[in-house]
Amino acid sequence: EPEVTQTPSHQVTQMGQEVILRCVPISNHLYFYWYRQILGQKVEFLVSFYNNEISEKSEIFDDQFSVERPDGSNFTLKIRSTKLEDSAMYFCASGWAGTVTYEQYFGPGTRLTVT
Amino acid sequence: AQRVTQPEKLLSVFKGAPVELKCNYSYSGSPELFWYVQYSRQRLQLLLRHISRESIKGFTADLNKGETSFHLKKPFAQEEDSAMYYCALRGGSNYKLTFGKGTLLTVNP
């Protein structure tokens, strides 16, 4: 069964550094998402991406964040200048609206630690 | 605005006992509700969606619009049901999910 994959599984970076989190969505999916989960808190929506552009973003997704689908398979989340409070688990998800019962498939997550 | 509330952070039951994980939501439109499960060291997986009215691994959930609830139930819990359970709501045109804080279910032998 196809799965969403994410790399790396764990990223440690220093405050102020740029990080890029990578995701390979399921190949025939059209909608792509990033969520994050700060330790002990709920999973929060960051951004959705469809048809090569951002379709919706949360207030968390400020100018420090960007997303890109550089080729036909990867979907990346870039944080330009990381802050301590960016430390979290970041989940990529993909989905398609080809059926009535739309669902999102999640990757295993990347744990980002900012020191 | 859409909001999902899971009032119990932790729930512990014995094997064979009934289990109910509570979920309440707030949404002005017509919601689509889901239950996701995360077993230890695994990814979030879809367990149930209200629109399908299905039973998966013995779990069921009924959408009650009057009480704005979507509680997850299983009549006889098994040890392998131990996991983190998240209730989620889909609203709007872009399919983003709004999650509750999750309930950690522990089924004791």
Side-chain angles (χ1 to χ4, degrees), chain B residues 15-65:
Chain B
K15 178 182 169 181
V19 63
E20 182 180 48
L21 292 91
K22 291 185 166 49
C23 172
N24 288 89
Y25 67 89
S26 172
Y27 181 61
S28 56
S30 187
E32 194 169 347
L33 276 297
F34 302 85
W35 276 99
Y36 278 81
V37 60
Q38 188 174 31
Y39 299 103
S40 180
R41 295 196 179 88
Q42 294 187 28
R43 67 187 66 206
L44 279 162
Q45 304 171 36
L46 179 67
L47 179 64
L48 279 180
R49 51 203 146 202
H50 90 269
I51 201 166
S52 301
R53 302 184 64 81
E54 58 203 340
S55 172
I56 303 290
K57 299 185 181 182
F59 285 97
T60 58
D62 289 319
L63 179 62
N64 186 324
K65 290 187 179 179

